[in-house]
Amino acid sequence: MARPKSDDKRNALLLAAEQVFAERGLAAAPTSAISKQAGVAEGTLFTYFRTKDELVNALYRSIKLELADALMAQFPRRGPVRHRLEYLWNAFVDWGVANPQRLNVLDQLSVADIVTEESKAVGYEPFAEIEALALHSIKTEILQAYPCEFIAANMKALAETTMGFMNAYPDEAGRYRQIGFDVFWNGVARDKA
């Protein structure tokens, strides 16, 4: 009879994959290095994930769902759009500053061809509410009529720039956090007030 799979081992393999991908990049990360980092035999990795692609997709989903929890668990469903977007900004910046390795790996996975459409859909689903807010805000002329994907990409890029400044200048982290959001808001809002 086969041994039951352990959540601890599965999580150790996901964490090891994250660490190895952060150090080597996705393409240059063999499963043997991931197994070694996790402290298990390479065959054990394939007990939990049939292929490296399956491992990559599981890691992508895991990180996206963790990020969704960080952003959406206390997301204000009501109130001015600016305040709701600023909440998302702060939650994303907090998560990224606390998890730079995970953010780096998520950036790699987000452009990886081996991440399936199914995994992308699972990763996107918790964020659908944000897209709905953006679309409504465009329709009601609170935000500029830019494509939602463009707004999201700009928010992410400015947030990551902000994180870099916050890490480089920790004594001024709060100032850079606010500057970053103000630059984002002024770029997408119709009324800059």
Side-chain angles (χ1 to χ4, degrees), residues 33-162:
I34 295 166
S35 299
K36 183 177 179 183
Q37 180 73 30
V40 301
E42 190 167 5
T44 300
L45 185 148
F46 293 111
T47 299
Y48 288 84
F49 306 99
R50 290 181 311 228
T51 64
K52 182 179 176 184
D53 290 5
E54 189 176 301
L55 170 64
V56 166
N57 279 276
L59 181 59
Y60 174 82
R61 289 176 182 204
S62 174
I63 295 173
K64 286 292 279 192
L65 294 176
E66 176 190 315
L67 177 59
D69 187 54
L71 269 60
M72 303 306 294
Q74 309 232 346
F75 177 65
R77 274 31 190 216
R78 301 202 182 283
V81 172
R82 179 185 173 114
H83 294 143
R84 293 161 74 192
L85 290 178
E86 192 165 13
Y87 169 85
L88 290 171
W89 173 273
N90 287 327
F92 180 54
V93 167
D94 287 346
W95 183 84
V97 167
N99 299 285
Q101 175 178 282
R102 197 157 283 154
L103 179 61
N104 167 288
V105 171
L106 181 58
D107 285 346
Q108 291 180 53
L109 297 175
S110 294
V111 296
D113 292 338
I114 58 178
V115 174
T116 65
E117 290 304 316
E118 180 186 351
S119 290
K120 289 176 185 175
V122 168
Y124 166 78
E125 195 276 326
F127 299 98
E129 186 176 353
I130 299 170
E131 183 177 6
L133 171 63
L135 289 170
H136 178 74
S137 299
I138 291 166
K139 185 177 180 180
T140 57
E141 299 185 349
I142 295 169
L143 297 181
Q144 297 285 346
Y146 301 141
C148 283
E149 301 83 15
F150 186 77
I151 292 172
N154 274 274
M155 183 177 194
K156 182 179 179 300
L158 279 169
E160 289 184 1
T161 298
T162 299

Side-chain angles (χ1 to χ4, degrees), residues 4-33:
K5 292 181 182 175
S6 157
D7 285 342
D8 290 342
K9 272 192 187 165
R10 184 180 189 281
N11 292 336
L13 286 162
L14 289 171
L15 180 59
E18 176 188 315
Q19 292 166 338
V20 173
F21 294 158
E23 291 168 9
R24 297 184 182 200
L26 184 59
T31 55
S32 59

